[in-house]
């Protein structure tokens, strides 16, 4: 019996289909039914979107099933260009060294959703290289600029009417995807980040709006050296991902012109008929279009179709809100010059009752964030469409401690002439006015305007001492200069303006960038009108744009058109402030903290004034022009001006500045370091005078200009000035001994600088050192004190080692 059963089992294994077929006979004995394998059922929409699913309709419908998130992407959006912006929403203290904050964006990229077989690809689209898609070369541009794939998503199913596909984005937004990370490689290296901890990382929320989707991620990274809370060994941050649909029809761009300052976008256009690709550059600006174009063209003031609105951070202290609002609203008058009224405004955000969906992270809204940070700064970044330069959104950042910087500078730079600045408790209205102007400056950046450091050079120095002039014109031609305070005004000058304000250049630049030009359809058609607007102002320094580091007329923090005169006035005021600093600080507070802080900053102010004068030496003015305009673009500072500047530096920097050595201050703020601090300040100017780029410019000057300051004369004048005691029977004080050694050391550096070996510099240095040997050998034999003799002997030994290292 067992053998029979075993035989039957073996037959069943070997011939299963035959046995099954025999068992499935129909009632009709003449018909045999054979069973076929069942196909796996395709998942349907209802498998993913159930009665328990939370759905949020908007750009895409977002579905949430417990911890899973799905995008329902309409097929009509396949290939549509969208802007993906990664921002930090919340962060640990100290991340990035203090200049990264809540609201900082870390990446902006154009993306498209592309259907490929059974997947949806999220691809980055670049506008660095472009071509007209009707031209054959377009194929080459595409082939040589392959768009990277950020992520590939499996298509789960389609919706019921097959107009959209469903993908699961949970893994994408809960993983450490480098393309959308808020923690760049430099931070990962600095903080020794090992990995993202998935157990402590998750999607906080995904919300869909009519034009955008906002994702908030909470991520925790394992890190060996985090910026704060070191014992935890982690970096936890909240990240906001904004994806917004770009306009179907890009704004018509405006061609960039370096004669008017604007931030810009660039691309290389291979559609050109020229013998090379065209580099195209367009300005960055908001899309302002008049509601009533006919009235606008008649010259009437017209409101824009869409107003520029900035929402104030609810965290902003109440007493400061009005000043921030004023800083934004000040641009309304400027936009009227371009034909728009009520073009820009600041508002408090809606309450939760008024708009429960409102979020400062929503990319549809621009904001002014108030950041609780010890950093002293403010910034005005923006997000723009790389196809046209249209600014989509911006978030101005104000750091809490920034006003302390302005209070300190106000006291130091204006206290000699301005009684209300001689206090640590600056009047609220004056602090408010400073804040208002800082916000106006940052709004200018957010409108597309970069710094224009040439604007402060437009005004004569003595005009800055005039009440009527400064009250009307301010202290620089634009708010976009770093001309914060009027440090030129003297104690006898009355009713002058001390704080910067909007200027005529602001009206000029906004009109040039924003005024709508009628009857044009291409950017090229605008150029003739734009050129005329510039030529109408040509030659007037008020409307000049500049900011090169080699140009002494475009220096940071300077004011007035004569650096020597302005810095002389500035130092004269600083001497008064230094003498009174204890009375205005420690005598009032009964501690030395503010005195120490302010004296340290006073040294920095003095150094800046010196740097403005030093900029003349080897300086080159830049006057941006087109060939049809008269004059050259680059013009060297005259020999006389350079020589005068050096003599000023020898007196006001390289001679020992005894007024900065007040024992009533030094003996109460530090136990030591006075000589080192002074040497550092002096060598900063010395090294700046003798840096490679400046010396090379001076060598080049002899090629194109007869009125130039020879490099060999610079070295000779410096040697005679810094070693002036060697020409007389004079002892050398401690500070001068240090400076003279530093000068010799710098000469040695220049002698061995590889970048200068094939220039005249090593030859000039060698000649100067030979001369110095003779000069110091004679000086050492004179009737001077012992330390001066030791010093000269040491200097000679240092020179010999430079000239003969062996």
């Amino acid at each position: 019996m067992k053998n029979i059963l075993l035989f039957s089992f073996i037959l069943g294994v070997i011939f299963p289909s035959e046995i099954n077929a025999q068992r499935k006979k129909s009632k009709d004995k003449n018909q045999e039914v054979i069973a076929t394998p069942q196909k796996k059922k395709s998942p349907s929409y209802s498998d993913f979107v159930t009665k328990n699913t939370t759905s949020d309709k908007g750009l895409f419908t977002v579905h949430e099933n417990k911890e899973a998130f799905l995008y329902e992407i309409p097929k009509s959006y396949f290939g549509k260009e969208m802007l993906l912006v990664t921002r930090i929403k919340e962060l640990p203290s100290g991340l990035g060294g203090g200049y990264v904050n809540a609201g900082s964006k870390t990446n902006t990229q154009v993306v498209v959703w592309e259907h490929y077989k059974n997947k949806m690809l999220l691809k980055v689209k670049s506008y660095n290289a472009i071509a007209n898609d009707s031209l054959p070369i377009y194929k080459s541009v595409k082939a040589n600029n392959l768009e990277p794939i950020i992520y590939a998503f499996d298509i789960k199913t389609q919706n019921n009417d097959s107009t959209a596909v469903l993908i699961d984005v949970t893994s994408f937004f809960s993983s450490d995807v480098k393309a959308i990370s808020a923690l760049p490689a430099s931070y990962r290296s600095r903080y020794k980040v090992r990995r993202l901890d998935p157990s402590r990382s998750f999607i906080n929320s995904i919300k869909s709006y009519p034009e955008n989707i906002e994702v908030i991620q909470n991520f925790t990274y394992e890190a060996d050296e985090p910026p704060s809370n070191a014992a935890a060994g982690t970096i936890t941050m909240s990240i906001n991902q904004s994806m917004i649909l770009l306009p179907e029809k890009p704004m018509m761009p405006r061609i960039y012109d370096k004669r008017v300052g604007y931030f810009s976008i660039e691309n290389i256009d291979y559609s050109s008929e020229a013998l090379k690709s065209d580099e195209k550059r367009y300005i960055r600006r908001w899309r302002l279009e008049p509601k009533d174009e006919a009235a606008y063209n008649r010259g009437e003031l017209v409101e824009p179709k869409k107003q520029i609105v900035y929402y104030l951070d609810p965290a902003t202290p109440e007493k400061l809100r009005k000043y921030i609002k004023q800083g934004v609203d000040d641009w309304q008058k400027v936009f009227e010059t371009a034909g728009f009224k009520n073009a820009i405004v600041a508002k408090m955000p809606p309450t939760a009752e008024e708009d429960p969906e409102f979020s400062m992270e929503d990319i549809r809204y621009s904001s002014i964030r108030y950041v609780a940070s010890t950093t002293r700064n403010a910034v005005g970044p923006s997000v723009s469409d790389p196809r046209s330069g249209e600014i989509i959104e911006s978030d101005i950042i104000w750091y809490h401690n920034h006003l302390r910087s302005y209070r300190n500078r106000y006291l130091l730079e204006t206290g000699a002439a301005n009684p209300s600045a001689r206090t640590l408790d600056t009047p609220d209205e004056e602090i408010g006015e400073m804040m208002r102007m800082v916000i106006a400056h940052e709004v200018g950046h957010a409108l597309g305007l970069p710094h224009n450091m040439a604007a402060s050079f437009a005004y004569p120095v003595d005009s800055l001492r005039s009440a009527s002039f400064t009250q009307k014109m301010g202290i620089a031609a634009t708010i976009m200069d770093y001309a914060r305070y009027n440090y030129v005004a003297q104690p006898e000058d009355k009713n002058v303006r001390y704080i910067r304000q909007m200027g005529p250049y602001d009206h000029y630049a906004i009109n040039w960038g924003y005024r709508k030009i009628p009857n044009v359809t291409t950017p090229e058609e605008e150029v003739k009108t734009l050129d005329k607007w510039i030529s109408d102002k040509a030659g007037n320094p008020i409307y000049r744009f500049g900011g090169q580091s080699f140009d002494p007329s475009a220096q940071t923090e300077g004011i007035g058109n004569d650096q020597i005169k302005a810095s002389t006035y500035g130092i004269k005021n600083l001497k008064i402030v230094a003498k009174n600093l204890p009375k205005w600080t420690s005598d009032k507070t009964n501690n030395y903290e503010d005195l120490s802080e302010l004296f340290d900053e006073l040294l920095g102010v003095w150094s800046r004034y010196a740097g403005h004068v030093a900029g003349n030496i080897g300086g080159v003015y830049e006057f941006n022009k087109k060939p049809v305009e008269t004059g050259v673009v680059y013009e060297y500072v005259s020999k006389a001006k350079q020589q005068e500047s050096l003599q000023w530096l020898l007196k006001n920097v390289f001679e020992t500045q005894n007024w900065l050595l007040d024992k009533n201050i030094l003996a109460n703020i530090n136990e030591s370091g006075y000589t080192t601090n002074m040497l550092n300040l002096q060598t900063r100017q010395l090294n700046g005078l003798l840096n490679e780029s400046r010396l090379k410019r001076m060598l080049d000057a002899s090629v194109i200009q007869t009125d130039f300051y020879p490099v060999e004369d610079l070295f000779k004048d410096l040697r005679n000035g810094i070693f002036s005691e060697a020409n007389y029977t004079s002892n050398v004080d401690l500070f001068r001994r240090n400076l003279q050694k530093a000068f010799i050391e710098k000469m040695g550096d220049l002698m061995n600088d590889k970048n200068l070996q094939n220039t005249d510099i090593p030859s000039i240095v060698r000649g100067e050192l030979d001369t110095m040997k003779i000069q110091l050998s004679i000086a050492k034999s004179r009737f001077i004190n012992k330390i001066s003799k030791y010093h000269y002997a040491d200097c000679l030994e240092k020179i010999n080692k430079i000239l003969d290292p062996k």
Side-chain angles (χ1 to χ4, degrees), residues 413-682:
E413 296 187 27
T414 76
N418 178 15
S420 66
R422 300 167 190 165
T423 176
L424 297 174
D425 298 315
T426 312
D428 286 347
E429 282 300 314
E430 291 173 51
I431 283 287
E433 179 72 0
M434 297 172 208
M435 186 175 203
R436 172 184 180 178
M437 294 307 157
V438 179
I439 292 296
H441 177 95
E442 301 307 336
V443 170
H445 285 320
L447 295 173
L449 303 181
H451 291 133
N452 179 11
M453 300 305 183
S456 53
F457 198 72
Y459 293 167
V461 170
D462 286 332
S463 294
L464 300 174
R465 300 183 61 186
S466 163
S468 58
F469 182 90
T470 56
Q471 293 297 345
K472 178 183 178 182
M473 302 294 287
I475 59 176
T478 176
I479 195 69
M480 302 314 299
D481 200 327
Y482 270 176
R484 304 176 203 270
Y485 295 114
N486 184 351
Y487 59 79
V488 162
Q490 296 296 292
E492 61 268 24
D493 303 329
K494 305 302 179 186
N495 200 34
V496 297
R497 182 174 179 85
Y498 293 104
I499 302 171
R500 60 182 169 174
Q501 65 182 26
M502 310 286 281
Y505 174 86
D506 300 313
H507 292 260
Y508 165 71
I510 290 295
N511 181 75
W512 189 91
Y514 281 88
R515 178 170 285 280
K516 186 173 175 58
I517 300 173
N519 306 317
V520 296
T521 56
T522 69
E524 289 73 20
E525 290 176 2
E526 291 188 327
V527 171
K528 184 177 180 180
T529 300
L530 296 172
D531 276 351
K532 185 178 186 308
W533 290 346
I534 295 172
S535 63
D536 286 347
K537 306 292 187 183
N540 189 334
I542 286 174
Y543 305 107
R544 175 177 167 236
F545 173 75
Q548 295 291 352
S549 60
F550 54 74
D551 186 344
S553 68
Q555 297 191 78
T556 301
E557 314 282 358
I559 58 173
N561 66 349
D562 184 329
Q563 298 89 350
I564 294 174
K565 182 182 284 189
S567 291
T568 299
Y569 280 136
I571 288 180
K572 187 178 178 182
N573 282 337
L574 271 186
K575 289 178 178 178
I576 297 172
V577 171
K579 185 177 180 179
N580 288 280
L581 204 53
K583 183 170 70 175
W584 299 342
T585 58
S586 53
D587 288 359
K588 301 290 185 182
T589 63
N590 199 30
N591 67 64
Y592 293 112
E593 291 177 9
D594 289 292
L595 176 63
S596 178
E597 179 182 327
L598 280 158
F599 183 73
D600 187 55
E601 291 191 30
L602 183 145
L603 295 176
V605 173
W606 168 71
S607 184
R608 274 198 300 274
Y609 294 165
H612 296 155
V613 177
N616 285 325
I617 299 169
V620 181
Y621 300 120
E622 182 184 56
F623 301 101
N624 292 314
K625 300 173 184 287
K626 286 191 173 182
V628 295
E629 298 175 76
T630 58
V632 296
V633 175
Y634 298 107
E635 180 182 321
Y636 285 84
V637 177
S638 70
K639 178 181 180 180
K641 191 71 172 180
Q642 293 188 60
Q643 290 175 316
E644 184 186 5
S645 297
L646 185 64
Q647 293 305 313
W648 189 96
L649 289 168
L650 290 171
K651 178 181 179 182
N652 292 280
V653 176
F654 299 132
E655 286 184 10
T656 301
Q657 303 298 300
N658 290 308
W659 65 277
L660 290 174
L661 303 172
D662 188 340
K663 65 179 182 181
N664 293 322
I665 296 176
L666 298 182
N668 289 313
I669 63 174
N670 221 324
E671 87 289 351
S672 63
Y674 322 126
T675 55
T676 300
N677 288 342
M678 181 59 68
L679 179 63
N680 288 341
L681 289 164
Q682 291 177 318

Side-chain angles (χ1 to χ4, degrees), residues 156 255 268 273 305 490 613 620 641 732 741-742 784 803:
K156 300 298 183 182
I255 293 174
I268 299 175
E273 293 294 329
K305 292 178 181 177
Q490 296 296 292
V613 177
V620 181
K641 191 71 172 180
V732 190
K741 287 188 178 78
I784 53 177
L803 293 174

Side-chain angles (χ1 to χ4, degrees), residues 703-746:
V703 177
I704 62 172
Q705 196 161 314
T706 56
D707 182 27
F708 67 94
Y709 187 25
V711 179
E712 56 268 32
D713 286 3
L714 169 64
F715 279 94
K716 181 188 70 175
D717 292 343
L718 268 174
R719 173 177 53 79
N720 285 331
I722 291 176
F723 282 90
S724 60
E725 295 91 342
N727 296 323
Y728 306 96
T729 306
S730 301
N731 293 321
V732 190
D733 72 34
L734 171 62
F735 297 95
R736 291 282 284 182
R737 294 196 297 270
N738 290 345
L739 176 62
Q740 289 170 3
K741 287 188 178 78
F743 178 66
I744 293 172
E745 182 181 352
K746 181 62 180 177

Side-chain angles (χ1 to χ4, degrees), residues 60 73 77-84 109-115 120-127 142 147-151 153 243 246:
F60 302 163
I73 306 177
Y77 284 126
F78 290 3
K80 297 286 187 183
E81 294 171 324
M82 302 180 184
L83 206 61
L84 180 59
Q109 50 199 327
V110 177
V111 297
V112 292
W113 293 90
E114 187 176 291
H115 182 215
M120 284 302 299
L121 307 180
L122 182 61
K123 301 178 73 173
V124 176
K125 189 167 184 178
S126 172
Y127 276 89
K142 291 285 287 182
E147 297 161 350
I149 299 170
I150 296 178
Y151 208 84
F153 302 84
M243 187 177 69
L246 288 172

